Amino acid sequence: MPILSRLPERVNVVEVGPRDGLQNEPVHVASDNKIAFIDGLAKAGIRVIEATSFVSPKAVPQLADADDVFRKVTPLPGVRYTVLVPNERGYERARNAGCSAIALFTSASEQFSQKNVNATIDETFERFAPVVERARQDGVWVRGYVSTATDCPYAGEIPPRQAVDVAARLFELGCDEVALADTIGRATPKRLGALLDIACQELPVERLALHLHDTGGLALANVMIGLDYGIAIYDAAAGGLGGCPFAPGAPGNLSTERLLKLLHGLGIETGINEDRVTDAIEQLRASNPELGVRDAA
Ligand code: HMG
Ligand code: MG
């Protein structure tokens, strides 16, 4: 059966530019510019925006203003604003700022976990347990990330079983959604397919997301593989901003503009206005011309 006949009708695009994008930019972006960027993306029709990160400001100084930024965003009805939370301390900060949706992050690779959060994978789950318990009580929505689900900058190719087991643990913990992440943009369509063969058999496909970096230029090809497996949630960053400061070789996320061109070109609905996404990233760039906006469509 041709792939065009079995595509999802609608896809949920998760905009991670304000978090994954800006966390990796060496330039200082003023809080007001970040707030305007987030508000612009919401006005473009994006329904999930990862706004910032409540991690240690020593680890990620670019997002040290998370509390201030989150408080000053103008919440649009129907938009979910998520934030990264590494531990209970981050959860408390996030809640104090008014967050009602969080994203926990762990890894399929022990080496990456150590570099990223100074903890083993098991230790990350120990940190998450009280957070998820409190989130459940508070009615807070929870996403979980599996970083290095296909490739690790330190350990190389990751066996699919290893990544699926971590994703399954995140669901068991109580995550509402789990994102499988190609942290350094090295996945090939064939190896992503091998991961999804197992993931889509064992995990709830409608609650699985793909978070693809575009280092190898194959992110869109990998989206096609994801669509073929029925995955309907994709992360992207306006302007292709981003990366991960603890993953050498992760320069850019899949650009939102390119993802929208593909999805709309396939006749898939997103509810997002491409021109308004471009306006939001251009406005950010106008106030920060040195920003590495490198991957606009
Ligand atoms: P640690 O040093 O092991 O833990 O850091 P700690 O608990 O000993 O804390 C160290 C210091 O940080 C202490 O301060 C704490 O108070 C403070 P000090 O006593 O030195 O002054 N601290 C905090 N401050 C503010 N907010 C907090 C917080 N927690 C501790 N929540 C820790 C462990 C996880 C905190 C640290 O390693 C960290 O923050 N790492 C950040 C990692 C990160 O943000 N990585 C990038 C995001 S993940 C990503 O990009 C991948 C993703 O996009 C998917 C993909 O592509 O793969 C999601
Ligand atoms: Mg990422």
Side-chain angles (χ1 to χ4, degrees):
M1 212 206 298
I3 187 170
L4 289 176
S5 61
R6 53 172 194 270
L7 294 170
E9 273 175 28
R10 198 182 162 85
V11 153
N12 198 8
V13 173
V14 176
E15 171 61 48
V16 295
R19 192 281 303 171
D20 206 355
L22 295 183
Q23 80 178 9
N24 204 37
E25 293 294 337
V27 301
H28 173 76
V29 178
S31 305
D32 284 349
N33 296 157
K34 295 177 183 175
I35 295 160
F37 183 40
I38 296 166
D39 287 343
L41 293 165
K43 283 185 197 140
I46 297 178
R47 285 294 157 261
V48 187
I49 302 175
E50 202 159 81
T52 186
S53 189
F54 289 90
V55 296
S56 158
K58 282 185 197 146
V60 184
Q62 291 90 334
L63 302 180
D65 58 357
D67 309 72
D68 198 37
V69 166
F70 199 89
R71 281 200 180 92
K72 292 187 183 153
V73 162
T74 306
L76 274 196
V79 179
R80 174 181 290 147
Y81 299 89
T82 61
V83 296
L84 280 200
V85 161
N87 52 20
E88 253 191 301
R89 168 92 188 276
Y91 183 77
E92 265 154 34
R93 287 178 58 207
R95 289 295 288 158
N96 286 338
C99 301
S100 57
I102 60 167
L104 307 170
F105 54 106
T106 185
S107 174
S109 147
E110 288 292 357
Q111 287 98 316
F112 182 73
S113 187
Q114 286 293 347
K115 296 271 186 193
N116 197 31
V117 290
N118 193 27
T120 64
I121 297 167
D122 282 348
E123 284 163 352
T124 63
F125 277 89
E126 283 163 27
R127 290 174 181 174
F128 297 160
V131 173
V132 174
E133 201 178 311
R134 289 175 67 176
R136 289 276 81 92
Q137 282 163 12
D138 299 342
V140 166
W141 186 90
V142 184
R143 169 184 253 216
Y145 278 102
V146 183
S147 281
T148 62
T150 59
D151 297 78
C152 169
Y154 312 105
E157 289 183 16
I158 299 294
R161 166 56 50 207
Q162 213 168 298
V164 173
D165 285 351
V166 176
R169 282 178 78 178
L170 285 167
F171 277 121
E172 278 157 29
L173 187 70
C175 288
D176 295 290
E177 177 177 296
V178 171
L180 300 171
D182 177 14
T183 310
I184 53 171
R186 295 274 175 228
T188 61
K190 190 166 179 183
R191 287 196 299 106
L192 181 67
L195 171 64
L196 297 183
D197 265 344
I198 309 182
C200 295
Q201 283 229 346
E202 299 184 9
L203 305 170
V205 181
E206 66 289 353
R207 294 201 277 144
L208 273 181
L210 286 181
H211 175 102
L212 302 167
H213 288 251
D214 204 14
T215 322
L218 290 178
L220 283 184
N222 288 333
V223 170
M224 287 303 296
I225 298 292
L227 291 170
D228 199 21
Y229 278 84
I231 292 182
I233 310 168
Y234 294 88
D235 295 5
L241 287 171
C244 173
F246 307 98
N253 284 87
L254 168 58
S255 100
T256 309
E257 299 92 309
R258 285 186 183 203
L259 176 63
L260 291 175
K261 272 207 166 57
L262 174 71
L263 296 174
H264 294 164
L266 288 167
I268 295 173
E269 272 176 51
T270 65
I272 301 169
N273 181 312
E274 292 176 41
D275 292 340
R276 291 186 122 190
V277 173
T278 305
D279 290 347
I281 189 71
E282 279 181 358
Q283 193 191 340
L284 181 70
R285 207 177 185 190
S287 42
N288 300 272
E290 68 286 28
L291 207 57
V293 180
R294 58 197 141 243
D295 200 20

